[in-house]
Amino acid sequence: EVQLVESGGGLVQPGGSLRLSCAASGFTFSSYAMSWVRQAPGKGLEWVSAISGSGGSTYYADSVKGRFTISRDNSKNTLYLQMNSLRAEDTAVYYCAKDPGYCGGDCYGYWGQGTLVTVSS
Amino acid sequence: EIVLTQSPATLSLSPGERATLSCRASQSVSSYLAWYQQKPGQAPRLLIYDASNRATGIPARFSGSGSGTDFTLTISSLEPEDFAVYYCQQRSNWPLSFGQGTKLEIK
């Protein structure tokens, strides 16, 4: 059974940093691209970032480019999102997500439970 | 960046009725469009991928159609559990993007 478990969320001041983790199990982690999707309170879904199975290719939304870094440790079956220079508008639930195996990595059949990031002074 | 515009923002229908939700892309996404359902407090659920393919375990009352810039999600006969928010998502171009959502509410 595929499981994705996010951690690392919390309260951080504007300009601060936070690193999110997503522990994956139930599949061959290194074979799949992984993504982060966020949802601000009461708002819609926003795609944030994606990384290939090897980690060699990364992609970002314009809203986070230059501030966020996606990475993965295939030996630990863990996905990361390093978030720097955080802003109030980054406040959201952050989900890690995975392709179900038939979308070339870019649609999301598996989701974690989400971790809440709050940026506030 | 490809912008996806969903309409209507809110759709009020009764159980048993047919629901038609629209998603329009600012440029062609070929057939690389997915639909999700989200209920309060839950992660989204993949319904349709590549415009018209149902994901595993999705009931046959859900169907998707379209290509290029215009797409439709149809729910043939609404069940009480179908009232939720629906999002479209394109995977044609980086950065990927979601529509703003359509809330399907009970009339």
Side-chain angles (χ1 to χ4, degrees), chain A residues 37 39 43-45 47 50 59-60 62 95 100 102-103 106-108 111-112, chain B residues 1 34 36 38 42-44 46 49-50 55-56 87 89 91 94-96 98:
Chain A
V37 176
Q39 187 168 36
K43 303 298 184 181
L45 301 171
W47 179 83
Y59 307 89
Y60 297 95
D62 290 345
Y95 294 100
Y102 38 75
C103 293
D106 305 329
C107 77
Y108 306 117
W111 298 72
Chain B
E1 176 180 339
Y36 299 82
Q38 188 180 33
Q42 296 184 13
L46 178 66
Y49 68 97
D50 291 352
T56 302
Y87 296 94
Q89 177 236 329
R91 68 177 189 91
W94 300 103
L96 307 187
F98 288 89

Side-chain angles (χ1 to χ4, degrees), chain B residues 19-34:
Chain B
T20 303
L21 287 68
S22 176
C23 177
R24 175 165 288 178
S26 59
Q27 64 187 76
S28 177
V29 298
S30 185
S31 293
Y32 298 127
L33 190 101

Side-chain angles (χ1 to χ4, degrees), chain A:
Chain A
E1 178 193 4
V2 171
Q3 286 200 326
L4 302 171
V5 180
E6 301 95 338
S7 60
L11 176 64
V12 61
Q13 292 188 338
S17 298
L18 211 55
R19 188 177 83 157
L20 305 183
S21 300
C22 172
S25 60
F27 63 101
T28 304
F29 184 69
S30 60
S31 295
Y32 289 89
M34 297 291 296
S35 296
W36 290 98
V37 176
R38 70 184 180 183
Q39 187 168 36
K43 303 298 184 181
L45 301 171
E46 181 185 12
W47 179 83
V48 173
S49 183
I51 187 168
S52 62
S54 67
S57 296
T58 58
Y59 307 89
Y60 297 95
D62 290 345
S63 59
V64 306
K65 196 175 296 182
R67 300 188 299 122
F68 290 11
T69 301
I70 191 171
S71 63
R72 63 193 298 158
D73 185 335
N74 286 343
S75 69
K76 295 183 178 179
N77 289 352
T78 302
L79 173 72
Y80 302 102
L81 186 68
Q82 177 67 43
M83 304 185 295
N84 298 331
S85 303
L86 282 161
R87 307 166 180 168
E89 54 265 35
D90 296 318
T91 294
V93 173
Y94 285 73
Y95 294 100
C96 69
K98 173 193 171 297
D99 179 355
Y102 38 75
C103 293
D106 305 329
C107 77
Y108 306 117
Y110 297 100
W111 298 72
Q113 84 287 353
T115 187
L116 177 62
V117 172
T118 303
V119 184
S120 175
S121 54

Side-chain angles (χ1 to χ4, degrees), chain B residues 3-18:
Chain B
V3 176
L4 299 178
T5 302
Q6 293 186 240
S7 61
T10 304
L11 186 57
S12 300
L13 294 170
S14 301
E17 290 193 294
R18 181 184 187 91

Side-chain angles (χ1 to χ4, degrees), chain B residues 20-103:
Chain B
T20 303
L21 287 68
S22 176
C23 177
R24 175 165 288 178
S26 59
Q27 64 187 76
S28 177
V29 298
S30 185
S31 293
Y32 298 127
L33 190 101
W35 290 94
Y36 299 82
Q37 176 194 69
Q38 188 180 33
K39 297 179 180 179
Q42 296 184 13
R45 178 173 71 143
L46 178 66
L47 301 174
I48 301 288
Y49 68 97
D50 291 352
S52 61
N53 299 287
R54 272 190 304 276
T56 302
I58 301 303
R61 65 181 182 273
F62 291 92
S63 63
S65 63
S67 66
T69 61
D70 290 302
F71 300 86
T72 300
L73 173 70
T74 302
I75 311 171
S76 59
S77 179
L78 285 166
E79 298 287 341
E81 61 267 28
D82 297 336
F83 292 92
V85 180
Y86 292 82
Y87 296 94
C88 56
Q89 177 236 329
Q90 66 83 18
R91 68 177 189 91
S92 174
N93 284 47
W94 300 103
L96 307 187
S97 52
F98 288 89
Q100 84 281 11
T102 289
K103 182 178 182 180

